[in-house]
Amino acid sequence: MSKAEGMKDVVYINGNVNEKCFVTHGITFKEFYQSLRNPLTNLLLLKHQFEDSDYHYSTHMDYLEEEQVSLLVDEEVSDYGDFCWIDVDDVSSLDLLEPQDIASLLYLGHMKKPLHSPFVNKLSNQFVYLAGEDGYYNKTYYRDVYDIKHMISRVIPLKASSLKQKGFGFRRKKSEYPALPLVVANTLLMLTQDGLLFDFEQQAQSRKDLHIPVYTIGRFTDMEDMYNERFNNQEESKLRAYLIFNKKEAEWTLEEV
């Protein structure tokens, strides 16, 4: 069992809004993809093991077009080890890359940090996705911070739905929770700067509502330390709150305790 498989009961987000960089644990590539406001079209693969990619001869790098991206989503990319990519607006723009651009991209995939900017204007990329065992440690850059806000608004209900379904096995049809209101997502986005933990392991559900505990536990880059120390850090958290879904009103709220 992979590290990511063993730690799926929490989502952790360590955000740097100014640098548009977010380190996450508990969010897989498939969940990221399903939570975007616009679908991914073309990807330039920096680190991967996907067999159905195309080869770009000028850069000696692999890339995907939209139909291939949909196949990648169903792959167990956590088995790849390193899994790194940037999106590309138009595949033909790869022909514009010069040697220094290619060197910067190779550095980005190898070191999991940008040599200069994570955004390549020639490629008009909106994201940089850098994972070491996908779902366990992911670092993602967002050109537009609205995209991370939208992702949070979608991925947390998606996670709650999938964990609920897992608990019931095959006895019940999957329940889809609606997206978080953007005002709630914006509050959560700001809280990621203090290291935000959603504790699905301790979530409680009744006939009326669903409660997901939320804490700020500090900024971690080592996800094993984050996971092992989460209970101690919850006790010392500056924020203790619940993300609450009212089933009758079909609405989410964030309430401090």
Side-chain angles (χ1 to χ4, degrees), residues 50-85:
F50 186 57
E51 295 181 353
D52 293 325
S53 59
D54 289 327
Y55 186 72
H56 187 260
Y57 286 91
S58 296
T59 60
H60 299 283
M61 301 175 80
D62 296 326
Y63 70 94
L64 305 179
E65 297 188 81
E66 188 170 3
E67 298 79 7
Q68 295 159 300
V69 174
S70 63
L71 297 176
L72 177 65
V73 169
D74 291 326
E75 285 275 300
E76 290 293 338
V77 296
S78 61
D79 294 339
Y80 291 178
D82 289 343
F83 174 56
C84 306
W85 54 263

Side-chain angles (χ1 to χ4, degrees), residues 135-228:
Y136 177 73
Y137 175 91
N138 295 30
K139 179 194 286 186
T140 310
Y141 291 87
Y142 296 77
R143 186 185 289 266
D144 187 342
V145 174
Y146 183 82
D147 282 316
I148 176 66
K149 189 189 307 184
H150 189 278
M151 194 276 291
I152 291 171
S153 77
R154 298 281 180 175
V155 79
I156 299 304
L158 177 64
K159 201 78 175 178
S161 293
S162 64
L163 290 172
K164 178 183 177 182
Q165 176 66 12
K166 183 178 179 181
F168 286 118
F170 294 102
R171 290 175 293 170
R172 301 186 75 174
K173 187 177 179 180
K174 183 173 180 179
S175 170
E176 293 280 348
Y177 293 111
L180 307 179
L182 288 181
V183 64
V184 173
N186 188 64
T187 299
L188 295 172
L189 172 65
M190 293 299 106
L191 291 170
T192 66
Q193 297 179 105
D194 293 319
L196 189 62
L197 181 80
F198 300 86
D199 190 353
F200 293 98
E201 183 181 24
Q202 300 298 322
Q203 74 177 21
Q205 185 161 199
S206 69
R207 296 176 66 181
K208 294 182 177 180
D209 50 35
L210 170 72
H211 285 62
I212 303 172
V214 180
Y215 305 90
T216 51
I217 63 168
R219 301 174 68 85
F220 288 86
T221 54
D222 186 313
M223 296 300 111
E224 188 168 356
D225 286 348
M226 177 280 296
Y227 192 81
N228 292 337

Side-chain angles (χ1 to χ4, degrees), residues 107-123:
Y107 181 91
L108 184 61
H110 183 68
M111 298 300 293
K112 295 187 177 65
K113 60 182 181 180
L115 188 58
H116 303 295
S117 169
F119 305 109
V120 183
N121 289 333
K122 292 175 183 177
L123 303 180

